[in-house]
Amino acid sequence: MHDIRAIRDNPEAYDQGWAKRGLPVQTPAILDLDRKLREAQTALQVAQGRRNEASKLIGAAKAKKDEAEAQRLMAEVETLKGVLTDQGEAEARLTDELKAVLAAISNIPAADVPQGADEHGNVEQRRWGQARAIEGPKDHVALGEALGLMDFEAAARTSGARFVFLKGDLARLERALGAFMLDIQTREHGYLEVSPPLLVRDEAAFGTGQLPKFAEDLFQTTDGRWLIPTAEVSLTNMVLGQILDEPELPLRLTALTPSFRSEAGASGRDTRGMIRQHQFYKVELVSITTSDQSDAEHERMTQCAETVLQRLELPYRTMLLCTGDMGFTARKTYDLEVWMPSQGVYREISSCSNCGDFQARRMDARFRKPGEKGTQYLHTLNGSGLAVGRTLVAVLENYQDEGGRIAIPPALQPYMNGQTHIGPAA
């Protein structure tokens, strides 16, 4: 959500920022709507003032026994009631229109975000690890099905496409990965573990930017609630409508939850396997902080997510997303991309985004500095720490041997009761 006062003060900065995202000029229409709203508000205030004044004069006229003047004033008050109704309706309509326009436009990118139309404009920041030499690497589907522990056909019969049954050691490995990720973030990085609701109301989905623009990407229940596409929605909205004290900040929250996505805009993409599913587990990282801390918190969060990949010894690269590839609410995003041997490419496994005050304005979430009366909007950040399903895929593919057996990364072995491999003995 954008600050209309800031747009009034510097419309060129907003148009330049939106232009970097490939959007047309927006501010003339916004400012015209804002002008009409302020005119309606002024007319309403004038009419209210005149009604109050005329109401007082009626009593004075009656006290002077000037019945003609009293009748004239009463007629004026009656006319003003209609004016107030019309102007009040106009104010409400224009307020809703302006809010809808501002809510539908993406965040302004940070100054150091590279300009680009799509993922080809992203800029690599660093790489970690060396890809293992694997002769004729199989993809995770072939590996999982050969082990008899990954069943897409049964999932299709029960739920349709983009679902999977994981069984036995692969189900245990998925559980182990989630616990491993949570332990790193809570024990080492200071995140507070939360078990949040998986269903949220409109206000929460609006607050983090899923509604109204991306409703088709969500699943909705029969009572109007929304299944979360990521725990970001629940965790960030813990401060919905709240005023925090600055010493409480930053808040660092994490959760392991199922995530549900309709993948409405991903028709035909990654239809094979577990890369893009309707339901998957993810460890989410959320930070709630102040404007002067948010850039440093963004770098810290990204490093917290990278730690998981390093402990699992999975090769990856860190990418700074360009303006055309960033999400709707983000002002700056780093993607972590893990090496996938079967495809010979790096694939996204985490996005860490700084949203500035964009979400906080939608949620009306603020903080107060000690000794100050006023409040400021919070800054919100979110990141995957990591997507569990994609991490499982990366482990299968990077730790396979020629016979299809999977070595369990040393860091995960304590979570698997000391087990070192999945599959038949060598």
Side-chain angles (χ1 to χ4, degrees):
M1 197 77 167
H2 298 285
D3 181 1
I4 185 59
R5 289 172 297 183
I7 294 175
R8 272 186 228 135
D9 292 342
N10 194 356
E12 295 82 6
Y14 280 83
D15 278 331
Q16 289 169 7
W18 287 322
K20 291 178 180 179
R21 280 185 175 260
L23 298 176
V25 172
Q26 306 281 334
T27 57
I30 293 172
L31 293 176
D32 182 58
L33 192 55
D34 175 53
R35 176 185 56 78
K36 291 177 181 177
L37 172 59
R38 287 191 287 161
E39 287 175 352
Q41 290 170 334
T42 299
L44 183 61
Q45 292 168 356
V46 169
Q48 287 172 333
R50 178 55 190 164
R51 181 194 62 181
N52 294 339
E53 181 184 13
S55 296
K56 292 178 182 178
L57 292 173
I58 290 171
K62 288 190 174 183
K64 295 177 181 179
K65 301 188 182 305
D66 187 346
E67 192 60 30
E69 178 64 6
Q71 290 297 324
R72 186 190 70 77
L73 289 168
M74 285 190 286
E76 183 181 357
V77 167
E78 195 62 30
T79 300
L80 286 169
K81 286 181 181 178
V83 174
L84 288 170
T85 297
D86 292 343
Q87 293 299 329
E89 290 175 351
E91 181 193 33
R93 174 179 54 80
L94 290 165
T95 296
D96 289 343
E97 286 182 18
L98 182 59
K99 181 179 179 181
V101 169
L102 293 175
I105 309 175
S106 58
N107 202 352
I108 298 292
D112 59 344
V113 172
Q115 190 166 351
D118 52 32
E119 67 272 13
H120 297 98
N122 298 340
V123 178
E124 184 175 320
Q125 303 296 291
R126 53 189 172 270
R127 292 193 184 200
W128 188 93
Q130 294 293 324
R132 295 174 177 83
I134 302 172
E135 186 68 28
K138 299 176 182 177
D139 71 8
H140 68 282
V141 177
L143 291 165
E145 289 183 336
L147 292 167
L149 303 178
M150 190 179 286
D151 194 334
F152 293 96
E153 290 185 7
R157 291 195 299 270
T158 61
S159 304
R162 297 187 190 269
F163 290 93
V164 66
F165 278 107
L166 296 179
K167 299 181 286 185
D169 282 345
L170 288 192
R172 290 179 62 211
L173 183 61
E174 181 183 53
R175 176 160 50 93
L177 281 165
F180 169 71
M181 294 174 188
L182 279 179
D183 283 349
I184 288 177
Q185 305 306 344
T186 57
R187 296 176 182 177
E188 301 180 29
H189 297 151
Y191 285 85
L192 175 67
E193 183 175 353
V194 179
S195 179
L198 305 182
L199 295 169
V200 297
R201 303 194 306 181
D202 288 359
E203 296 91 332
F206 175 83
T208 44
Q210 283 73 32
L211 291 182
K213 191 169 185 177
F214 303 103
E216 67 173 7
D217 295 327
L218 307 178
F219 288 111
Q220 190 172 28
T221 62
T222 54
D223 68 354
R225 291 180 175 87
W226 303 89
L227 287 166
I228 59 169
T230 163
E232 170 204 346
V233 180
S234 302
L235 295 178
T236 309
N237 275 281
M238 288 178 71
V239 298
L240 172 68
Q242 302 300 299
I243 299 176
L244 306 183
D245 291 323
E246 187 180 30
E248 300 177 61
L249 305 172
L251 290 180
R252 296 181 178 126
L253 310 170
T254 187
L256 169 62
T257 67
S259 299
F260 305 92
R261 299 184 183 179
S262 71
E263 297 293 352
S267 178
R269 296 173 57 194
D270 297 311
T271 56
R272 177 177 169 82
M274 293 180 60
I275 295 294
R276 196 177 297 277
Q277 295 200 296
H278 291 309
Q279 173 188 313
F280 57 95
Y281 283 97
K282 185 154 75 81
V283 171
E284 187 71 10
L285 306 175
V286 163
S287 291
I288 312 291
T289 188
T290 63
S291 57
D292 57 350
Q293 294 175 331
S294 68
D295 287 342
E297 187 70 15
H298 190 203
E299 300 297 327
R300 182 186 189 276
M301 174 181 283
T302 305
Q303 291 169 6
C304 290
E306 289 185 42
T307 298
V308 178
L309 291 169
Q310 293 171 10
R311 298 283 176 83
L312 293 173
E313 301 179 59
L314 292 171
Y316 70 92
R317 65 180 184 178
T318 304
M319 305 292 291
L320 175 59
L321 299 196
C322 70
T323 54
D325 201 30
M326 284 199 308
F328 175 77
T329 62
R331 68 188 300 269
K332 184 176 180 179
T333 298
Y334 292 113
D335 268 10
L336 306 185
E337 298 179 348
V338 69
W339 178 251
M340 294 294 188
S342 70
Q343 302 176 33
V345 296
Y346 289 93
R347 294 298 304 267
E348 179 206 334
I349 199 168
S350 171
S351 283
C352 296
S353 297
N354 185 349
C355 299
D357 64 3
F358 187 82
Q359 292 177 325
R361 289 182 180 278
R362 298 168 77 97
M363 297 185 298
D364 192 23
R366 304 166 182 256
F367 75 96
R368 181 184 291 109
K369 289 180 175 290
E372 295 187 7
K373 292 183 179 179
T375 60
Q376 300 178 35
Y377 283 105
L378 292 159
H379 277 212
T380 63
L381 303 93
N382 63 82
S384 304
L386 308 162
V388 176
R390 291 195 179 191
T391 309
L392 176 70
V393 168
V395 168
L396 292 180
E397 294 201 5
N398 282 277
Y399 281 88
Q400 64 179 294
D401 64 21
E402 285 77 3
R405 193 168 69 141
I406 311 299
I408 297 172
L412 285 181
Q413 291 175 16
Y415 295 84
M416 297 285 288
N417 295 324
Q419 186 175 339
T420 60
H421 291 80
I422 295 174

